[in-house]
Amino acid sequence: MKITAFAGGVGGAKFAHGLAQILPPEDLTVIVNTGDDFEHLGLFISPDLDTVCYTLAELANPETGWGRMDETWNTISNIEKLGGPAWFRLGDKDFGTHIERTRRLKEGKTLSQVTQEFCEAWGIKPKVLPMSNAPVRTMVNTDEGELEFQEYFVHRHCEPVVKSFRFDGAEIAEAAPGVIEALEAADAVIFCPSNPWVSIDPILKVVKTITKPVVAISPIIGGKTVKGPAAKMFRELGIEPSAFAVAKHYRNILSGFVLDNEDLNLEKSISQLNIKTLATDTLMKQPTDRARLANDVLHFIRSLQ
Ligand code: FO1
């Protein structure tokens, strides 16, 4: 079964790693959000692409989910000592990725080309594609004005109250080479358990239409986000955060929805949206949980066909 998965940060990366463990590499394409990308310290940083690639290559920091394992922090400490911006914690190994990516982009390569080259170097077999090679920037409209995504997310710790989102450049950005082809070749599309507002929506804005069955996995369990601010965003936008709210968010494109056993009571209201459901253990605490959940989701997709 050929799967094209949409992924944002840590939750998406873990689930993509689960899929990568059970699918032949030629049957998996992961399309990654680049709305979080930004230029910082003169470097081009693509946090979600790096999180997905480090996780697939088993190089990711297991505590944070982003950045590299066994990292050291000499460069950022030195920048801090000199009075430079140190709020975005880049480790020494991670710096190497950004320096080299920036160098290749400056040489005229596209983000897809550099991503493919890095995947080869890291031994990543499934295809990992940025959603677009054109700049798309997630802008967060807050009670303190419009903020760039990393300014809101990391620098301001998601404290400003969210009013809406804007994906600057998405209207004119073309999908990266391979994205539309992967969607056409797929038997099903999976929205990984990533933030619907700022991880999956930017990809949807670029891709525009999906004609294949779509299954989403809830990043919200028991009204709380596993990691990150999705529940807080729902609340600030006036929506009670829940797996039901996530299913409703995607209602026009979903064939199936995967929710946690803890949210069994929401299954009926989700089915009433004309969406098939699977309740299972969706928490990925241990690396082994990733393949188990991916297996459950693939069985569910087969049952829909
Ligand atoms: N997230 C943080 O909360 N604090 C950081 O200092 C931070 C640094 C960082 C460095 C490289 C990288 O690839 C990701 C990093 N992230 C950090 C995560 C990241 O910015 C967000 O998780 C994503 O953009 C949301 O998916």
Side-chain angles (χ1 to χ4, degrees), residues 149 152-153 157-159 162 165 195 197-198 220 225-236:
F149 182 77
Y152 160 80
F153 190 94
H157 310 288
C158 307
E159 276 161 12
V162 169
F165 302 97
N195 187 313
W197 300 104
V198 293
I220 295 192
T225 335
V226 179
K227 191 174 165 65
K232 183 178 179 287
M233 288 172 175
F234 270 102
R235 210 171 294 116
E236 290 172 358

Side-chain angles (χ1 to χ4, degrees), residues 180 183-189 207-214 253 255:
I180 303 301
L183 287 167
E184 278 166 6
D187 295 304
V189 176
V207 161
K208 296 182 180 77
T209 46
I210 305 176
T211 56
K212 298 302 170 74
V214 179
I253 30 174
S255 300

Side-chain angles (χ1 to χ4, degrees), residues 95-170:
F95 257 114
T97 304
H98 311 307
I99 292 169
E100 186 53 17
R101 174 188 292 121
T102 306
R103 189 186 71 78
R104 292 188 199 188
L105 290 173
K106 282 195 174 153
E107 263 181 13
K109 288 187 170 158
T110 63
L111 185 60
S112 330
Q113 285 169 328
V114 179
T115 304
Q116 193 186 333
E117 290 167 2
F118 283 8
C119 283
E120 275 162 30
W122 286 323
I124 298 169
K125 298 280 184 329
K127 211 176 272 167
V128 179
L129 304 174
M131 65 188 194
S132 179
N133 283 325
V136 176
R137 296 292 171 264
T138 297
M139 305 297 295
V140 190
N141 180 22
T142 75
D143 60 344
E144 298 180 36
E146 192 172 63
L147 301 173
E148 286 181 9
F149 182 77
Q150 297 299 342
E151 177 64 23
Y152 160 80
F153 190 94
V154 177
H155 203 183
R156 303 294 313 278
H157 310 288
C158 307
E159 276 161 12
V161 175
V162 169
K163 295 205 240 165
S164 60
F165 302 97
R166 186 169 70 84
F167 306 111
D168 194 31

Side-chain angles (χ1 to χ4, degrees), residues 60-95:
N61 180 329
E63 271 96 52
T64 54
W66 50 263
R68 295 281 293 261
M69 70 167 67
D70 303 323
E71 190 52 287
T72 53
W73 305 92
N74 297 303
T75 313
I76 200 78
S77 302
N78 194 37
I79 289 169
E80 193 163 25
K81 182 98 185 141
L82 293 169
W87 55 268
F88 198 76
R89 306 300 295 169
L90 294 167
D92 296 330
K93 288 182 189 171
D94 197 25
F95 257 114

Side-chain angles (χ1 to χ4, degrees), residues 38-58:
F38 73 133
E39 284 204 30
H40 187 62
L41 298 165
L43 301 172
F44 182 89
I45 301 178
S46 196
D48 286 358
L49 265 180
D50 290 339
T51 299
V52 167
C53 289
Y54 290 158
T55 304
L56 290 177
E58 302 186 354

